[in-house]
Amino acid sequence: MGLLARLRKEWFIVGIVLVILSAKLQPSFGVKGGPLRPEVTIAYIAVSIIFFNSGLSLKTEELTSALLHVRLHLFVQSFTLIFFPLAVWLLLQLLQLSSIDQWLLRGLQTVSCMPPPVSSAVILTKAVGGNEVTHTHTHVHTHTHTDASTGRRPSVFVSMMADTSPCAQAAAIFNSAFGSFLGIVVTPVLLLLFLGSSSSVPFSSIFSQLFMTVVVPLILGQVCRGFLRDFLERRKPPFGAISSAVLLMIIYTTFCDTFSNPNIELDAVSLLLVVFIIFSIQISFMLLTFSMSTRSRSGFSPADTVAIMFCSTHKSLTLGIPMLKIVFEGYEHLSLISVPLLIYHPAQILLGSVLVPTIRNWMTSQQKSSLLLR
């Protein structure tokens, strides 16, 4: 693959780097009160666009077949929104004794509180029900769907067999979508519980803004989808690209605030340690969910295991950044808190690409075993 083709495919990651560099060069343009007026254009308009877009693109009509798979849903949601943040909180009690930047450590806690990305619905549906061997972000075939949360090709595709459980396919959609809806309420509560709020923003203001810029646009998007479903299915608008472009604006203004404050510095050693910690957390939790869901008495199929692994450990950048912008409005260190989440997103893509061959071999052996037992 040529360099230009690779850059085109990875445009969102390249965009993150470019907007951060732009914020460094000209921070006055995107600061509060600056020409871009982020206190209005970002805090209200941009965030509302992202969640309206999410509501418009989310295929909730496909979720009904998954409602009865209760055990799997309970496992995924409890792991994602209860075990994950508690485990990271315990880890941070030890890491606070280290020299790692405390704001980056707080950023690790915010990552743990995030819901799964809506894009996992597309990724895992193809993975669990797919008939062809598909690959990760760096090796996807041209007919794969676009990631609904970032506008990029799906980050993790695992080859599966044609006869995998349709229930597991629907379960993957359900947990990504339901987790995102649940996260709208649970994630801000977890953030306030573990990290507290900016002293300049009262709780009532936080939740009223969340309601107006997150809940209302999401519901409106779903209502509009009900009227426009046939048109949307036929034309397939670039939902992901729209959300990604808006998300880059939010990231840009966040870092403009940082670079305009001379008292904030990012320690390179702390950053490298946080990258190592993020990969360690992802690998550990994927191994843990794999181990728990493949026990003989777990009752989960191999297809369920794949859905559990990715739905339980992936975190949403698209939903996360706007929520941080709302909950931590007034924090001068908001951009440092956002850094671990910005790292987590490409990290889960890279890790998925490394693990695909292993999971593909495991699925192959599982099918051979099941055929021999029939």
Side-chain angles (χ1 to χ4, degrees):
M1 182 184 295
L3 179 60
L4 286 177
R6 174 60 57 84
L7 291 176
R8 196 178 301 117
K9 181 179 290 187
E10 305 291 344
W11 71 271
F12 182 68
I13 300 298
V14 174
I16 290 177
V17 175
L18 291 177
V19 296
I20 292 175
L21 289 175
S22 299
K24 174 68 174 176
L25 295 173
Q26 191 63 40
S28 60
F29 185 77
V31 296
K32 190 172 184 178
L36 194 58
R37 297 287 178 186
E39 63 271 22
V40 177
T41 58
I42 299 300
Y44 291 95
I45 299 173
V47 175
S48 297
I49 288 173
I50 283 180
F51 286 96
F52 176 78
N53 197 43
S54 295
L56 200 60
S57 61
L58 193 60
K59 299 180 180 180
T60 46
E61 64 268 15
E62 297 179 1
L63 305 183
T64 52
S65 61
L67 291 176
L68 298 180
H69 211 342
V70 177
R71 287 183 66 254
L72 189 148
H73 306 328
L74 286 175
F75 182 99
V76 170
Q77 300 306 327
S78 60
F79 189 96
T80 304
L81 296 173
I82 299 176
F83 176 82
F84 203 132
L86 282 175
V88 171
W89 180 80
L90 289 173
L91 174 64
L92 293 183
Q93 302 312 298
L94 297 175
L95 293 177
Q96 282 176 356
L97 302 175
S98 70
S99 60
I100 300 175
D101 188 292
Q102 296 301 300
W103 294 103
L104 291 179
L105 292 182
R106 290 190 178 195
L108 286 173
Q109 187 69 72
T110 66
V111 170
S112 72
C113 298
M114 293 301 152
V118 178
S119 58
S120 291
V122 178
I123 295 166
L124 294 172
T125 301
K126 291 287 289 184
V128 176
N131 190 27
E132 298 183 44
V133 177
T134 50
H135 301 269
T136 59
H137 211 55
T138 54
H139 295 92
V140 290
H141 296 299
T142 55
H143 62 274
T144 54
H145 293 296
T146 300
D147 184 320
S149 70
T150 63
R152 308 172 62 214
R153 296 295 177 129
S155 56
V156 181
F157 278 124
V158 186
S159 69
M160 299 294 164
M161 310 306 162
D163 60 347
T164 50
S165 167
C167 186
Q169 299 177 38
I173 304 174
F174 181 90
N175 278 286
S176 290
F178 180 68
S180 297
F181 279 122
L182 195 62
I184 291 171
V185 176
V186 176
T187 293
V189 173
L190 289 174
L191 290 172
L192 294 171
L193 178 65
F194 284 110
L195 298 170
S197 171
S198 167
S199 58
S200 63
V201 183
F203 290 105
S204 58
S205 176
I206 290 172
F207 283 102
S208 63
Q209 187 173 350
L210 279 170
F211 182 78
M212 292 305 298
T213 61
V214 175
V215 178
V216 172
L218 195 72
I219 293 173
L220 285 175
Q222 279 286 283
V223 171
C224 291
R225 179 175 178 81
F227 293 102
L228 302 172
R229 185 177 301 134
D230 292 339
F231 172 80
L232 296 174
E233 291 298 318
R234 186 171 63 254
R235 299 299 296 270
K236 299 188 184 304
F239 294 118
I242 294 170
S243 288
S244 293
V246 176
L247 191 59
L248 289 176
M249 285 182 59
I250 296 175
I251 294 170
Y252 169 72
T253 58
T254 299
F255 279 87
C256 282
D257 289 334
T258 297
F259 294 129
S260 64
N261 187 338
N263 298 321
I264 298 178
E265 293 183 4
L266 182 59
D267 178 35
V269 175
S270 293
L271 186 62
L272 289 175
L273 287 173
V274 166
V275 171
F276 174 77
I277 292 167
I278 284 173
F279 275 101
S280 299
I281 289 173
Q282 288 192 26
I283 293 170
S284 300
F285 284 2
M286 290 187 78
L287 288 173
L288 179 60
T289 53
F290 179 83
S291 175
M292 293 174 69
S293 61
T294 52
R295 290 182 305 171
S296 57
R297 296 183 180 180
S298 69
F300 295 122
S301 68
D304 291 338
T305 295
V306 176
I308 286 169
M309 285 174 64
F310 291 114
C311 283
S312 298
T313 59
H314 279 203
K315 295 294 184 176
S316 175
L317 181 69
T318 306
L319 303 181
I321 292 295
M323 284 189 183
L324 290 181
K325 194 78 173 176
I326 295 170
V327 175
F328 296 110
E329 180 67 32
Y331 259 55
E332 64 176 5
H333 292 88
L334 173 59
S335 61
L336 293 185
I337 295 176
S338 306
V339 165
L341 186 56
L342 294 175
I343 295 171
Y344 198 95
H345 176 73
Q348 65 191 15
I349 294 169
L350 179 60
L351 186 60
S353 68
V354 172
L355 291 177
V356 160
T358 303
I359 297 177
R360 183 169 58 241
N361 292 337
W362 176 74
M363 283 298 299
T364 302
S365 65
Q366 290 296 305
Q367 190 189 38
K368 287 180 179 178
S369 298
S370 65
L371 289 174
L372 290 174
L373 291 174
R374 287 177 184 173

